[in-house]
């Protein structure tokens, strides 16, 4: 991927050297292995609800402030990773500004926060274990760069376009917030509509974010022609690697569709492909689809 063609965003905030608090449950024993497994299953590329789950697991008491870390000194690889993040975020800004203009609507750019180990957001405290996430409470995407290493090592989902897909997916949640979709999902949930499960609101919301990531990829490719051989396969492999069925099978040894929060591997691949093929936001209505 010739990502160096992308315009660098100024909306990246580096908090990696700021020091972070960590929450411990009463008694200070930390999460059990089972608790960590649950967080990993529901935390990859999460929206809002996995953060709430994390808060339930670690509790709201026993907050400890870790000492500030030393000033961050990046090696050349990290410097390049940050440049990459700025380039991808900048291109999502350009894409969604254009798409919203076409609809006669206004798009406000999100901010992307880089953190290390753990971070406080308007959605609560989160450790790196939950993966990248978007918080609608402050319109910010949160990313620990070590997640890219985990993608390659644990999920065998390496590659710059796979990493770009992750960022674009989280920005997709910001788009949902901008369009009022997130608010409608919350209202439906409060009225009794199920969040979890193969046809639940959470799955539909996550698959729509995958589709939005595909729409971005389509428009970005039309502008830059920056994709190279194997890039699309990287993104599809990443989408497949973090499907609920695959993560459940890895952590629990069985697949439980009633506990799905993000969609199966096949669903995630299909909706990304749909957005990428169409380049049209109107093709991403997972909430009206009878079968997702």
């Amino acid at each position: 991927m010739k990502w160096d063609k992308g315009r660098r965003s100024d909306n990246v905030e580096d908090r990696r050297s700021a020091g972070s608090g960590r929450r411990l449950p009463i008694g200070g024993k930390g999460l059990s292995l089972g608790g960590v497994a649950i967080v990993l299953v529901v935390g990859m590329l999460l929206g809002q609800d996995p953060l709430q789950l994390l808060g339930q697991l670690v509790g709201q008491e026993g907050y400890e402030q870790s000492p500030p870390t030393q000033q961050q000194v990046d090696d050349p690889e990290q410097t390049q990773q940050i440049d990459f993040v700025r380039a991808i975020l900048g291109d999502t800004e350009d894409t969604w500004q254009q798409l919203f203009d076409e609809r006669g609507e206004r798009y406000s750019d999100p901010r992307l926060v880089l953190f290390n180990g753990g971070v406080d957001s308007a959605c609560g405290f989160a450790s790196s274990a939950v993966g990248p996430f978007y918080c609608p409470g402050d319109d910010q995407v949160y990313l620990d760069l070590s997640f890219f290493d985990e993608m390659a090592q644990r999920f065998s989902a390496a590659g710059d376009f796979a990493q770009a897909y992750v960022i674009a997916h989280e920005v997709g949640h910001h788009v949902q917030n901008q369009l009022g979709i997130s608010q409608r999902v919350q209202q439906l949930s409060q009225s009794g509509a199920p969040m979890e499960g193969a046809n639940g609101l959470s799955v539909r919301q996550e698959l729509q974010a995958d589709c939005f990531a595909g729409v971005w990829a389509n428009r970005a490719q039309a502008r830059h022609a920056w994709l190279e051989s194997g890039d699309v396969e990287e993104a599809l492999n990443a989408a497949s690697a973090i499907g609920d069925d695959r993560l459940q099978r890895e952590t629990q040894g069985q697949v439980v569709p009633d506990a799905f929060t993000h969609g199966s591997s096949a669903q995630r691949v299909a909706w990304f492909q749909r957005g990428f093929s169409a380049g049209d936001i109107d093709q991403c209505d997972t909430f009206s689809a009878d079968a997702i």
Side-chain angles (χ1 to χ4, degrees):
M1 179 183 185
K2 300 175 182 177
W3 57 265
D4 57 325
K5 293 182 177 182
R7 177 187 63 81
R8 274 49 169 181
S9 172
D10 293 325
N11 291 315
V12 175
E13 178 183 349
D14 193 348
R15 293 190 201 168
R16 291 173 301 149
S17 61
S20 61
R22 55 192 176 95
R23 295 187 187 274
L24 298 176
I26 298 172
K29 295 181 180 179
L31 285 173
S32 67
L33 291 177
V36 171
I38 293 172
V39 171
L40 288 175
V41 169
V42 302
M44 299 297 106
L45 302 181
L46 75 159
Q48 182 178 1
D49 291 323
L51 271 181
Q52 296 171 355
L53 175 60
L54 181 68
Q56 293 169 5
L57 288 173
V58 301
Q60 297 301 316
E61 300 185 37
Y63 179 79
E64 296 183 3
Q65 182 69 31
S66 61
T69 58
Q70 295 181 349
Q71 182 65 34
Q72 185 77 37
V73 178
D74 289 328
D75 59 27
E77 181 178 358
Q78 288 179 318
T79 300
Q80 186 178 49
Q81 281 186 323
I82 295 172
D83 193 40
F84 167 80
V85 169
R86 291 184 62 219
I88 300 303
L89 184 64
D91 199 75
T92 65
E93 292 168 352
D94 294 344
T95 294
W96 289 109
Q97 290 282 0
Q98 178 185 359
L99 284 164
F100 272 57
D101 285 346
E102 292 173 2
R103 299 167 61 91
E105 300 180 36
R106 180 178 178 272
Y107 179 73
S108 296
D109 298 332
R111 195 165 187 81
L112 189 149
V113 176
L114 297 174
F115 70 96
N116 184 24
V119 68
D120 275 308
S121 75
C123 296
F125 177 83
S127 75
S128 297
V130 303
F133 66 95
Y134 170 71
C135 176
D138 54 23
D139 292 328
Q140 295 187 148
V141 173
Y142 291 84
L143 171 67
D144 187 327
L145 291 173
S146 66
F147 181 73
F148 291 155
D149 294 330
E150 185 175 11
M151 286 178 62
Q153 296 166 11
R154 181 183 174 192
F155 300 108
S156 299
D160 45 16
F161 195 53
Q163 296 170 0
Y165 154 74
V166 169
I167 296 171
H169 172 95
E170 298 306 333
V171 172
H173 285 307
H174 177 68
V175 173
Q176 290 173 325
N177 202 37
Q178 293 275 288
L179 293 174
I181 296 171
S182 301
Q183 294 84 341
R184 291 197 293 274
V185 168
Q186 185 176 11
Q187 291 169 357
L188 288 170
S189 176
Q190 291 173 346
S191 67
M195 286 295 294
E196 294 188 358
N199 288 306
L201 293 173
S202 178
V203 168
R204 292 177 184 273
Q205 191 169 13
E206 294 295 333
L207 293 178
Q208 186 179 62
D210 282 333
C211 188
F212 285 170
V215 170
W216 160 76
N218 173 290
R219 295 298 185 102
Q221 174 65 2
R223 274 198 308 276
H224 302 301
W226 60 2
L227 296 183
E228 301 175 289
S229 177
D231 281 341
V232 174
E233 288 75 16
E234 287 177 2
L236 296 178
N237 181 49
S240 176
I242 50 181
D244 281 328
D245 52 344
R246 183 163 171 177
L247 289 173
Q248 286 182 349
R249 191 176 293 110
E250 177 184 324
T251 58
Q252 303 170 197
Q254 61 179 340
V255 176
V256 184
D258 287 345
F260 279 9
T261 58
H262 288 65
S264 69
S265 294
Q267 287 173 320
R268 302 201 72 166
V269 167
W271 280 98
F272 175 84
Q273 286 181 313
R274 182 168 180 165
F276 183 63
S277 296
D280 181 2
I281 189 173
D282 291 329
Q283 296 300 312
C284 296
D285 187 2
T286 55
F287 296 94
S288 296
D290 292 332
I292 53 173

